Amino acid sequence: MLILDVLGRVQNQKVQLAISQNIEAGDLLIIHGIVVHQTDSSTAQSTLNGYRAPKSNGAHFLIDKDGTIYQTASLYKKTRHVGFIKSRCIAEKSCLPADLKKLKGKRPGLEIGRVEMMKPFPSRYPMNEDSIGIENVSLFKNGAFEPLTRAQQTSLTWLMRELTQTLNINRAEIFRHSEVSWKQESEGASAELLDGR
Amino acid sequence: MRKIIFFILISISGYATSLESMLLESVQALPLNYRIIKTCGDWQVKNTHGYYRLVVADVYDGAGSEVYVQWIAHPTPEQKSKLIKTLAFSELNDDHSQYLIQTANCEKKGGFLYVTIKALYEHDEKDLVHRFSIKLIDIGKYELREK
């Protein structure tokens, strides 16, 4: 179990605080899921520098290639890390006729995303409003993200376990970014999630 | 009367007197996600003249867009038309901070090229049109600001 202070900062020697208020975007009132990302950067420092720029975007945690975990945003604040969400009922082949009617003719991205965001959880994927993001330092090379290092995977597994226990998040509600939004298919593809996916 | 019928038949059959639509196959083969391609006036650097080309392409089946400006040199007796530079705008083409470009226009004014973009943003909770103005200063150099 993680200990959080009043500002939503993790108090644990495995987590280094590198919080940037520039990537925080309003209060995170409820947490339903976790989304795993990859950065397209060669070092954690370059990503942390980017987070300090005005109007920058990021996630709540950043895991360096050597496994160092940085907390980059308060767990009580939203970050802009997901984007337009895909249709969960289409992906899981569970759409009701009413769902299909609302989605008919809608384009990927904005149009489907606007329909989905109106649905209550868990009829939709977690989004910026109710999820925690974990970035992993990785480069995008030759048309794909490089796989997570062994140290990154170890840290990611530890962090996912701690967060799900502390915040009572269902382990099945952890997704790769490309599963929930229109992103590079390889983003997070090498990450092993807690439910064995 | 016979002449009239003859000319009508010619026009219906699409009869051509010379080579036409030579690029039809290339145009048909253009990737469908290249949604906007337009020229934006001329540039000159020392003795080289050319034109700007603005390109907007969709990514992920239209969930987002990317924008580029190219400097293309005019053909001369010494050299064929040549691509000098393709400029990408990292502020607008960020995969984790994606814009869906609605309109993109360009205009040469006072010696500079100005590109104006209207776009929606993937992280906005409501539809909000973002307006960007990009001033091309030199080959590959620009100033971008959100209005």
Side-chain angles (χ1 to χ4, degrees), chain A residues 1-2 4 28-36 60-61 75 81 88 121-122 125-127 129-134 157-175 193-195 197:
Chain A
M1 290 280 278
L2 295 171
L4 303 181
L28 181 60
L29 302 175
I30 191 162
I31 300 170
H32 287 131
I34 296 171
V35 179
V36 177
H60 296 85
F61 294 94
L75 289 179
H81 66 100
R88 185 168 190 169
F121 184 84
Y125 286 121
M127 50 191 188
E129 282 65 27
D130 61 354
S131 69
I132 291 171
I134 303 175
T157 302
W158 176 83
L159 185 58
M160 289 188 295
R161 278 200 189 119
E162 296 296 323
L163 288 170
T164 50
Q165 285 171 12
T166 307
L167 301 167
N168 198 26
I169 299 168
N170 187 328
R171 288 177 163 215
E173 298 299 337
I174 303 175
F175 298 95
L193 307 183
L194 291 185
D195 64 355
R197 280 184 291 141

Side-chain angles (χ1 to χ4, degrees), chain A residues 17-140:
Chain A
L17 296 179
I19 288 179
S20 171
Q21 292 181 345
N22 288 331
I23 65 167
E24 296 177 340
D27 293 336
L28 181 60
L29 302 175
I30 191 162
I31 300 170
H32 287 131
I34 296 171
V35 179
V36 177
H37 302 262
Q38 288 183 271
T39 56
D40 189 21
S41 60
S42 53
T43 64
Q45 196 55 53
S46 62
T47 302
L48 294 172
N49 291 343
Y51 286 180
R52 293 191 191 105
K55 291 185 178 179
S56 55
N57 287 338
H60 296 85
F61 294 94
L62 174 69
I63 303 179
D64 203 351
K65 288 185 169 184
D66 66 1
T68 304
I69 301 171
Y70 298 93
Q71 184 181 359
T72 48
S74 163
L75 289 179
Y76 300 155
K77 296 288 182 184
K78 291 186 281 188
T79 60
R80 292 172 289 250
H81 66 100
V82 181
F84 299 128
I85 49 171
K86 292 178 177 175
S87 169
R88 185 168 190 169
C89 76
I90 287 179
E92 296 179 352
K93 299 183 172 56
S94 62
C95 290
L96 299 171
D99 293 320
L100 292 172
K101 193 176 173 185
K102 283 180 188 167
L103 291 165
K104 190 177 180 187
K106 295 286 188 289
R107 293 164 56 190
L110 177 79
E111 292 186 1
I112 292 176
R114 288 285 182 253
V115 172
E116 288 297 310
M117 70 183 288
M118 300 307 290
K119 294 180 178 175
F121 184 84
S123 298
R124 58 161 173 78
Y125 286 121
M127 50 191 188
N128 289 342
E129 282 65 27
D130 61 354
S131 69
I132 291 171
I134 303 175
E135 287 278 7
N136 290 275
V137 174
S138 315
L139 275 177
F140 184 74

Side-chain angles (χ1 to χ4, degrees), chain A residues 37-38 55 57 78 80-84 108-110 114 117 128-129 135 177 181-184 187, chain B residues 35 58 60-64 94-98 100 102 120-128 146:
Chain A
H37 302 262
Q38 288 183 271
K55 291 185 178 179
N57 287 338
K78 291 186 281 188
R80 292 172 289 250
H81 66 100
V82 181
F84 299 128
L110 177 79
R114 288 285 182 253
M117 70 183 288
N128 289 342
E129 282 65 27
E135 287 278 7
H177 197 192
S181 189
W182 288 269
K183 299 296 167 189
Q184 277 288 335
E187 189 185 346
Chain B
R35 192 154 45 84
D58 287 342
Y60 308 129
D61 296 328
D94 184 341
D95 181 58
H96 278 185
S97 193
Q98 208 154 59
L100 175 61
Q102 297 183 305
L120 298 170
Y121 184 49
E122 68 169 337
H123 294 300
D124 286 338
E125 291 171 24
K126 292 179 181 172
D127 293 352
L128 176 68
E146 187 169 357

Side-chain angles (χ1 to χ4, degrees), chain B residues 80-141:
Chain B
K80 289 187 174 181
S81 185
K82 186 180 173 187
L83 176 63
I84 304 294
K85 173 84 181 173
T86 298
L87 178 64
F89 301 97
S90 58
E91 298 91 336
L92 300 174
N93 298 355
D94 184 341
D95 181 58
H96 278 185
S97 193
Q98 208 154 59
Y99 288 93
L100 175 61
I101 293 171
Q102 297 183 305
T103 63
N105 292 297
C106 46
E107 186 185 12
K108 191 84 186 286
K109 231 171 13 184
F112 297 105
L113 179 73
Y114 290 87
V115 178
T116 51
I117 303 277
K118 284 185 188 176
L120 298 170
Y121 184 49
E122 68 169 337
H123 294 300
D124 286 338
E125 291 171 24
K126 292 179 181 172
D127 293 352
L128 176 68
V129 178
H130 295 258
R131 292 173 170 80
F132 296 95
S133 174
I134 307 168
K135 180 182 179 184
L136 279 294
I137 299 164
D138 200 351
I139 292 183
K141 291 182 183 170

